[in-house]
Amino acid sequence: RITVVDPRGGALVTGRNGVGKTMTLRLLPLFFGFSPNRLVGDDSNRGGMVPFILPEESSAIAFEYQRGDELRLAVMRREPSDSRSPFYRIFNCGWDQSLFVRDGLFITDEESKSQASVKYSKKFTVAEYRSVILRTAIHTKDRSIRAFQADYSFAPVPLDNLDKLIAAMVKDSVSFDDIP
């Protein structure tokens, strides 16, 4: 199922109990660098966040954002070999259903890449993705991260703690201790 929420100018998300309204809102921090397992831990009755929200290899959650005058599409998927490990990829475009569906069927990340007519990033781990979009330091031997930060970050300056601020906004209750 494809569900699109466009919050520009406001949004109203309605539906029966248990259809995913609250979970949809709780997914927002994932695209601002918040760790999936901090939203729903492995000890929950859902078996952990990643298998719960990305049950199939073709499952994806996409987040469109504007960078200057251009749109970017951040996509979260799960590793085919490890259903508990998420990864991110960023496409140089806005929402494009053809990156997710072909002939009426949902497609995998590899199939999305083969269909893409735009530039896209490598697979990012959660830490790499956080570093790229928030333009923060990361300890890695991969020197390409700085180039990805230049292409895909939310801003031209580091956005320390943006992930924590966004996560605090979607919690049921907010404590100032949540925001350093």
Side-chain angles (χ1 to χ4, degrees), residues 111-141:
E111 294 167 313
S112 291
K113 287 183 353 183
S114 69
Q115 281 195 194
S117 60
V118 296
K119 181 180 160 189
Y120 53 84
S121 73
K122 71 171 199 144
K123 280 185 178 181
F124 295 123
T125 65
V126 173
E128 290 170 334
Y129 174 78
R130 181 181 193 285
S131 174
V132 166
I133 59 159
L134 300 179
R135 211 174 190 131
T136 57
I138 185 173
H139 300 293
T140 180
K141 293 180 182 180

Side-chain angles (χ1 to χ4, degrees), residues 87-106:
F87 70 87
Y88 293 83
R89 187 179 306 280
I90 303 175
F91 292 85
N92 285 27
C93 63
W95 166 254
D96 181 351
Q97 186 168 319
S98 71
L99 294 173
F100 305 97
V101 178
R102 181 175 55 220
D103 300 327
L105 298 173
F106 287 99

Side-chain angles (χ1 to χ4, degrees), residues 11-27:
L12 176 65
V13 180
T14 64
R16 296 181 328 272
N17 286 345
V19 296
K21 299 178 301 290
T22 302
M23 182 57 69
T24 298
L25 290 176
R26 289 183 183 201
L27 294 176

Side-chain angles (χ1 to χ4, degrees), residues 37-63:
N37 290 328
R38 292 191 63 199
L39 291 177
V40 175
D42 287 341
D43 60 340
S44 75
N45 61 358
R46 295 183 177 123
M49 181 63 145
V50 176
F52 179 70
I53 63 172
L54 302 170
E56 305 290 331
E57 186 180 342
S58 60
S59 299
I61 302 170
F63 177 76

